[in-house]
Amino acid sequence: MVALARSRRVQPQPAEDAAFEADVLAGLSATPKRLLPKYFYDGVGSLLFERITELPEYYPTRCEMRILRDHARDIAKLVSEGAALVEFGSGSSKKARILLRALRPLAAYVPVDICGEMIEQEALELRPDFPGLKVLPVTADITQNFALPAPAKAAPVRVGFFPGSTIGNFEPHEAAAFLRNAGRILGTGATLIVGADLIKPVEVLNAAYNDAAGVTAKFNLNLLVRINRELGGTFKLDTFEHHAFYNRERHRIEMHLASLKRQKVKVAGEIIEFRAGETIHTENSYKYSVESLGALARGAGWQPAGVWTDERKYFSIQAFTLAV
Ligand code: AVI
């Protein structure tokens, strides 16, 4: 998976259309078949994800907001006055708002997201609520190197914020690469605050990705709707089923779309064949322990500096400082 971002994309650009077609055809021609989870987030997919975050079974968003509210003052101690706060994959900045209220005056808040339109809009909404705060959005792929605006570069230190357990949608080697890249971007003396979902009883995990209302199933199947609409696909939705399960060996929830019968589907003029029961692997959502994320971060040059969890230890906010 490459850039994430729950980008409430309005109109895809031609270059993105071409990348979507190439990625979908490559993924559906591979064995096993797969699709990149970043493509979940078209307009409908983003709305479905918002609904997921409110489901009774989907605990991560509620837990993370709770931790932020309960520990904002402690977390804020890691952000010195005059620092720049850089949020990776900021989306709606809902979680940053909680942190911003607890922080001492900053040099700047820099929300970074691949969806420029959305962060520009969010910046307009943030500025009146935080008068005096420089809100300087950057449109960029957070997995790549990008330049920070001058006031953030000039600040004595930079603090990264990466909430939402989006780190869990990276493969572990991609998560390590992300952490190394974040270190390069934030520079000497940096701190990084990461939201990460924790390993927990399998029933809780399975329920969170198999909600009774079927919203996660819709979210998963919406990928096929998108392919039908944007790539002239002929997927029949009632012949595919949402499968999500916890893979204990790899500490991850896997999401798949399973073909209920042997069939052929046309996508962008190509014929894709499915065996009965064959799946398209659409997402991994890795779950970490405090120790395993700490080890990953250490390997990428970061030193653990603080951990906050909810009462049930379902979710964690972990802070790291850049080792010199
Ligand atoms: C965005 N990401 C952290 C979510 C997760 O839990 O991995 C995406 C999601 N997929 C199904 N439900 C939620």
Side-chain angles (χ1 to χ4, degrees), residues 23-165:
D23 286 344
V24 167
L25 288 177
L28 294 180
S29 313
T31 313
K33 292 181 170 56
R34 59 181 158 72
L35 289 169
L36 297 174
K38 67 174 177 174
Y39 292 123
F40 280 134
Y41 302 98
D42 64 352
V44 174
S46 299
L47 289 174
L48 286 168
F49 180 70
E50 288 300 318
R51 279 179 61 199
I52 287 175
T53 64
E54 288 157 14
L55 290 168
E57 299 94 334
Y58 193 78
Y59 59 85
T61 313
R62 266 188 308 281
C63 286
E64 188 174 38
M65 299 285 274
R66 181 80 268 151
I67 301 168
L68 279 171
R69 285 197 193 98
D70 288 351
H71 301 285
R73 280 161 148 235
D74 269 351
I75 299 170
K77 287 183 189 148
L78 293 168
V79 187
S80 54
E81 184 165 348
L85 184 71
V86 179
E87 183 172 3
F88 293 91
S90 55
S92 71
S93 297
K94 202 161 83 185
K95 292 162 189 164
R97 277 175 178 269
I98 304 177
L99 205 53
L100 285 170
R101 272 184 223 114
L103 294 179
R104 291 167 273 195
L106 291 175
Y109 166 58
V110 182
V112 185
D113 203 292
I114 196 133
C115 184
E117 247 174 281
M118 177 172 53
I119 49 170
E120 292 294 344
Q121 182 56 38
E122 295 296 338
L124 289 179
E125 289 169 26
L126 265 176
R127 287 186 188 114
D129 296 341
F130 295 91
L133 176 66
K134 278 190 192 127
V135 182
L136 306 172
V138 169
T139 304
D141 176 345
I142 58 164
T143 65
Q144 305 298 314
N145 195 12
F146 58 84
L148 290 173
K153 264 197 230 160
V157 281
R158 283 145 295 281
V159 177
F161 184 43
F162 191 37
S165 201

Side-chain angles (χ1 to χ4, degrees), residues 232-271:
T234 60
F235 281 105
K236 291 197 185 75
L237 295 199
D238 57 356
T239 65
F240 284 86
E241 197 170 69
H242 165 72
H243 283 186
F245 56 89
Y246 187 59
N247 178 331
R248 284 176 198 263
E249 282 74 48
R250 307 183 91 162
H251 305 295
R252 69 189 193 195
I253 284 280
E254 293 187 13
M255 292 216 309
H256 296 256
L257 288 165
S259 176
L260 296 176
K261 58 176 196 178
R262 189 165 166 232
Q263 59 178 315
K264 289 181 185 171
V265 176
K266 218 172 181 186
V267 176
E270 305 274 330
I271 304 286

